[in-house]
């Protein structure tokens, strides 16, 4: 069983309906993190528009992959708030686990 090890948990007001967004990266503006953008962290639960959303900002969080990644790989957000291999933009963190494709729940060391 994969587990999270949060060091810092904070919150942000949901700028959109995030009810189905658990384990995705969220931006500082309360929206799902954009492609290559710096995330505030990973959502720990879904939240409706205008509600406070709990976010793991530092530590190891469970996040959905957007493509195949290798353990130890430097990661960034894609346009859906999922982690993918780093190409350009801001680093979201590093893969603790490998993913063989999209929509796999992996541990990410957030940076």
């Amino acid at each position: 069983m994969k587990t999270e090890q949060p060091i810092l948990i904070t919150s942000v007001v949901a700028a959109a309906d995030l009810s189905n967004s658990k384990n995705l990266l969220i931006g500082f503006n309360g929206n799902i993190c954009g492609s290559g953008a710096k995330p505030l962290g990973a959502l720990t639960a879904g939240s409706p528009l205008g509600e406070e959303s709990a976010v793991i900002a530092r530590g190891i969080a469970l996040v959905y992959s957007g493509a195949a990644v290798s353990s130890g790989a430097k990661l960034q957000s894609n346009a859906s708030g999922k982690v993918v291999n780093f190409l350009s933009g801001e680093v979201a963190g590093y893969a603790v686990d490998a993913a063989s494709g999209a929509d796999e729940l992996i541990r990410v060391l957030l940076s």
Side-chain angles (χ1 to χ4, degrees):
M1 179 171 92
K2 295 178 183 176
T3 61
E4 296 177 307
Q5 290 86 41
I7 294 172
L8 174 63
I9 299 175
T10 189
S11 63
V12 65
V13 175
D17 182 9
L18 303 175
S19 297
N20 297 313
S21 301
K22 181 180 177 183
N23 300 116
L24 296 178
L25 298 176
I26 189 165
F28 289 84
N29 61 2
N31 285 307
I32 294 299
C33 194
S35 181
K38 177 69 177 167
L40 173 60
L43 286 169
T44 62
S47 299
L49 173 67
E51 295 294 319
E52 291 286 333
S53 303
V55 178
I56 297 176
R58 293 291 177 264
I60 296 176
L62 293 171
V63 183
Y64 281 105
S65 62
V69 297
S70 299
S71 178
K74 186 188 301 188
L75 303 172
Q76 71 180 60
S77 177
N78 71 7
S80 301
K82 297 175 182 179
V83 291
V84 294
N85 288 309
F86 179 82
L87 294 174
S88 64
E90 299 286 338
V91 175
Y94 297 86
V96 176
D97 302 308
S100 59
D103 299 318
E104 291 185 28
L105 204 53
I106 64 168
R107 292 175 295 170
V108 174
L109 176 60
L110 299 170
S111 59

